[in-house]
Amino acid sequence: GPSNPSRTAYGSLKVIQPHAPFRLSWDLVGLSLVVMDAFLLPLSLSWDLSLIPDNEGGALLLFAFLTSLTYWCADVVMNFNTGIYQSGQLVIDRAAIMCHYVKGFLLFDLVLICIDIATFYATFSESAEQAEDSGSAVFRSIRTFRVLRAMRLLRLVKMSRLSAVIEEASVAAGRQWLLLVVAILK
């Protein structure tokens, strides 16, 4: 209702606290996907491994790729529904959250998702197979496309947000000892 500022006019959808166990677990899943990409992506690019599930390796890469794509698409929605810290204060105002995300990582996230979708489309579209058969598979074989696929590793930059949330929550909760733990882990 109106007494709870974390609820919206759209019903009972609450703003997720950035330090809540669910959100921290969500971010840890994202971190594990980034680490997985950090290992699998260079391997798949170096040995030109395909996402086409014609063997166990291809099936594993396809599963990892689709899991990652699904997670990052859902993460955009999560980011629009997660409170933020500004100057040590928790902000749960939806307009401020949206503004912060739009000015911050939204474009970055959407570009990487588009790269993933283009990768999927280029791998599985009939036109890509026809283009390859005709010898003009420029989209799939140029180095630029490989570099764009490697840009998925830039998600490591976003993972610094996890430590920032822990630091802000620690200060807000008066638990500065967590700052020491975060500093050691860095």
Side-chain angles (χ1 to χ4, degrees):
S3 63
N4 186 349
S6 69
R7 294 193 185 268
T8 68
Y10 303 109
S12 62
L13 184 62
K14 294 173 86 174
V15 171
I16 300 164
Q17 304 290 320
H19 56 275
F22 172 75
R23 182 58 202 205
L24 292 175
S25 298
W26 180 265
D27 286 340
L28 288 175
V29 168
L31 179 61
S32 66
L33 289 171
V34 169
V35 169
M36 179 184 66
D37 269 351
F39 286 107
L40 292 180
L41 193 58
L43 289 174
S44 68
L45 293 175
S46 298
W47 282 283
D48 201 24
L49 300 175
S50 174
L51 292 175
I52 297 173
D54 53 1
N55 58 38
E56 294 83 13
L60 176 66
L61 283 175
L62 179 61
F63 176 76
F65 177 84
L66 291 176
T67 301
S68 181
L69 177 60
T70 302
Y71 173 88
W72 294 113
C73 288
D75 190 56
V76 170
V77 176
M78 289 288 289
N79 286 323
F80 276 118
N81 290 292
T82 301
I84 56 173
Y85 282 101
Q86 293 179 333
S87 304
Q89 297 293 316
L90 177 62
V91 176
I92 57 172
D93 175 61
R94 288 215 183 261
I97 293 167
M98 287 182 188
C99 185
H100 183 263
Y101 187 44
V102 167
K103 288 180 181 178
F105 281 107
L106 178 63
L107 181 61
F108 176 81
D109 288 345
L110 293 178
V111 166
L112 291 177
I113 288 169
C114 287
I115 289 169
D116 286 351
I117 291 170
T119 299
F120 185 80
Y121 179 76
T123 302
F124 291 101
S125 72
E126 290 181 54
S127 61
E129 290 173 17
Q130 292 168 354
E132 190 169 316
D133 291 341
S134 68
S136 63
V138 175
F139 186 65
R140 292 182 64 190
S141 63
I142 57 175
R143 289 182 190 254
T144 306
F145 186 64
R146 290 176 180 242
V147 169
L148 288 176
R149 286 178 58 198
M151 285 181 62
R152 293 174 68 200
L153 296 178
L154 289 175
R155 287 190 175 113
L156 285 168
V157 172
K158 273 193 75 176
M159 289 299 113
S160 66
R161 184 188 61 161
L162 182 58
S163 68
V165 166
I166 292 171
E167 289 174 17
E168 292 277 354
S170 300
V171 170
R175 296 190 176 129
Q176 286 76 9
W177 63 269
L178 279 175
L179 292 175
L180 180 61
V181 172
V182 170
I184 291 170
L185 291 175
K186 285 183 179 180

